[in-house]
């Protein structure tokens, strides 16, 4: 399977709109510092919208891709799905902290169940039958193709329904263990770096997790130039779907706010699948998780926030969103324009 055949070429955001916003950002009245650190994200938004001043973001969307990976955060096989199910149920019922943050930011929330074995998700159960995937087993070609199709389709559905900015999130048992193996392989980073200091776990668990990640990375050491093969051998349906989602969003010229280790990995994979996709991504924060740090560094993305904030998938991005909105609002006021009525 050729990734070039899966995604159309990615077009660069508007350099002209970026330049116009950058000029506005430094033209502050005497005695003022202008937009400061909001200059770059504001210019990015203008470039993605291909207009200066940027328009208000009236329909941001949070997409939570749920899955279960069969191992816990230490790389130990743990079969219960209850934690993932409970969190998913809270999100779908509107009871999670994420829902309150989204409402405050004016964002809608959608949960996409890619591999949880749960009958309650109805039409959102987009990859029914894919099942739980262990890091040792990888994916079949059919599962890989299905997950890619799911992610691309969800992106198209959201953009076609009017989404103006997308915030991807991940929910699943041990997603970060799988992500650490994939990110380590793609960036040629040592397993001990990808695991990190291992706060809160025993030395034995830390060594076991390093071993799981090391073995997974070894299986794909000759496949680094083939992201689809890496994903097939050591990834999972929800991570593949997230990567395809981010890649297709870039193809559709829709900005994506990245928040969290697994979405950061998905952005890294998306840029491999659809070269140039990184121009459509902005980082909300760097949590310090090695996966997120390594992926953002590889992508050349600087985070907007430094709060170490985590109230669920996409929560830091929802805090960053009003800052983007503020940058655009100030640019519109400076230009003497008002948003068009809905």
């Amino acid at each position: 399977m050729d990734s070039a055949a899966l995604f159309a070429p990615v077009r660069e955001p508007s350099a002209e709109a970026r330049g116009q916003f950058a000029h506005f950002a430094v033209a502050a009245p005497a005695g003022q510092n202008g937009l400061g650190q909001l200059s770059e994200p504001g210019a990015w938004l203008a470039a993605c919208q291909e207009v200066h001043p940027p328009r208000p973001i009236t329909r941001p969307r949070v997409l939570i891709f749920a899955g279960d990976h069969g191992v816990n955060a230490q790389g130990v096989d743990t079969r219960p799905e209850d934690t993932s199910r409970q969190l998913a149920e809270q999100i779908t019922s509107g009871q999670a902290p994420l829902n309150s943050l989204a409402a405050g930011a004016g964002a809608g929330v959608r949960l996409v169940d890619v591999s949880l074995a749960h009958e309650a998700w109805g039409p959102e159960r987009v990859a029914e039958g894919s099942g739980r995937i262990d890091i040792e087993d990888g994916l079949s070609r059919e599962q890989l193709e299905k997950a890619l199709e799911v992610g691309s389709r969800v992106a198209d559905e959201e953009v076609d329904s009017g989404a103006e900015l997308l915030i991807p999130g991940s929910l699943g048992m041990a997603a970060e263990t799988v992500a650490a193996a994939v990110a380590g392989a793609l960036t040629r980073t040592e397993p001990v770096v990808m695991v990190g200091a291992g706060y809160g776990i025993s030395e034995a668990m830390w060594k076991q997790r390093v071993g799981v990640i090391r073995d997974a990375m070894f299986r794909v050491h000759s496949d680094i130039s083939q992201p689809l093969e890496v994903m097939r051998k050591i990834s999972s349906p929800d991570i593949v779907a997230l990567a395809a989602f981010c890649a297709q969003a870039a193809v559709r010229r829709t900005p994506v706010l990245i928040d969290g280790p697994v979405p950061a990995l998905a952005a890294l994979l998306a840029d491999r699948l659809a070269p140039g996709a990184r121009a459509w991504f902005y980082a909300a924060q760097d949590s310090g998780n090695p996966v997120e740090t390594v992926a953002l560094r590889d992508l050349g993305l600087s985070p907007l926030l430094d709060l170490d904030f985590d109230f669920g998938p996409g929560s830091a991005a929802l805090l960053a969103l009003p800052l983007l909105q503020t940058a655009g609002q100030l640019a519109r006021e400076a230009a003497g324009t008002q948003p068009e009525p809905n």
Side-chain angles (χ1 to χ4, degrees):
M1 189 189 309
D2 182 8
S3 60
L6 294 175
F7 299 97
V10 175
R11 193 175 79 185
E12 283 281 332
S14 170
E16 180 180 1
R18 174 183 286 276
Q20 290 173 339
F21 189 97
H23 177 74
F24 148 73
V26 300
Q32 297 182 13
N33 293 324
L35 289 181
Q37 294 185 25
L38 285 184
S39 298
E40 177 54 31
W44 170 77
L45 180 61
C48 290
Q49 292 186 349
E50 301 183 325
V51 63
H52 175 76
R55 299 182 298 271
I57 304 169
T58 59
R59 198 172 191 275
R61 295 280 288 169
V62 181
L63 287 301
I64 306 300
F65 287 73
D68 188 6
H69 306 83
V71 291
N72 68 12
Q74 288 76 49
V76 180
D77 192 356
T78 58
R79 297 300 173 177
E81 299 163 343
D82 290 346
T83 301
S84 295
R85 289 183 177 181
Q86 289 171 5
L87 291 173
E89 287 167 354
Q90 288 176 1
I91 291 172
T92 54
S93 66
Q95 301 302 308
L98 172 69
N99 298 97
S100 297
L101 289 170
V109 179
R110 174 182 175 185
L111 187 137
V112 181
D113 181 10
V114 182
S115 60
L116 286 173
H118 198 294
E119 65 277 10
W121 309 132
E124 294 295 356
R125 181 108 187 275
V126 290
E128 185 170 1
S130 61
R132 178 170 45 205
I133 301 300
D134 292 337
I135 191 171
E136 292 85 0
D137 296 336
L139 306 175
S140 68
R141 295 196 180 278
E142 182 181 0
Q143 288 170 326
L144 176 68
E145 292 172 3
K146 178 62 176 177
L148 289 166
E149 186 274 330
V150 165
S152 295
R153 174 160 54 83
V154 171
D156 283 334
E157 289 171 356
E158 293 297 328
V159 176
D160 289 342
S161 66
E164 298 166 317
L165 181 140
L166 300 171
I167 299 173
S170 171
L171 173 63
M173 293 289 290
E176 291 180 18
T177 298
V178 180
V182 179
L186 290 177
T187 62
R188 301 185 185 276
T189 303
E190 292 294 326
V192 292
V193 176
M194 297 310 306
V195 172
Y199 296 113
I201 63 175
S202 68
E203 182 179 354
M205 287 182 173
W206 184 87
K207 289 180 178 179
Q208 188 169 13
R209 190 178 184 201
V210 169
V212 168
I213 293 172
R214 180 197 60 230
D215 293 346
M217 289 173 59
F218 180 78
R219 289 200 299 277
V220 296
H221 73 278
S222 61
D223 301 311
I224 304 307
S225 62
Q226 304 176 65
L228 289 174
E229 193 63 12
V230 172
M231 288 191 289
R232 187 185 70 80
K233 288 184 177 180
I234 63 173
S235 190
S236 58
D238 53 311
I239 290 177
V240 173
L242 258 176
F245 173 83
C246 292
Q248 186 62 13
V251 169
R252 297 294 304 271
R253 305 195 299 278
T254 303
V256 179
L257 204 50
I258 301 298
D259 173 24
V262 179
L265 168 68
L268 182 64
L269 284 165
D271 194 64
R272 300 290 204 274
L273 296 172
R278 67 178 66 192
W280 295 89
F281 306 151
Y282 208 94
Q285 74 170 4
D286 181 354
S287 64
N289 182 292
V291 175
E292 189 165 16
T293 299
V294 166
L296 294 182
R297 182 172 63 232
D298 189 274
L299 290 166
L301 299 181
S302 298
L304 179 56
L305 304 177
D306 183 16
L307 298 176
D308 193 23
F309 182 86
D310 184 5
F311 262 78
S315 56
L318 289 167
L319 286 188
L321 180 57
L323 295 177
L324 279 176
Q325 297 276 39
T326 296
Q329 177 184 346
L330 292 173
R332 289 189 298 276
E333 290 177 356
T337 61
Q338 297 296 325
E340 296 180 2
N342 294 331

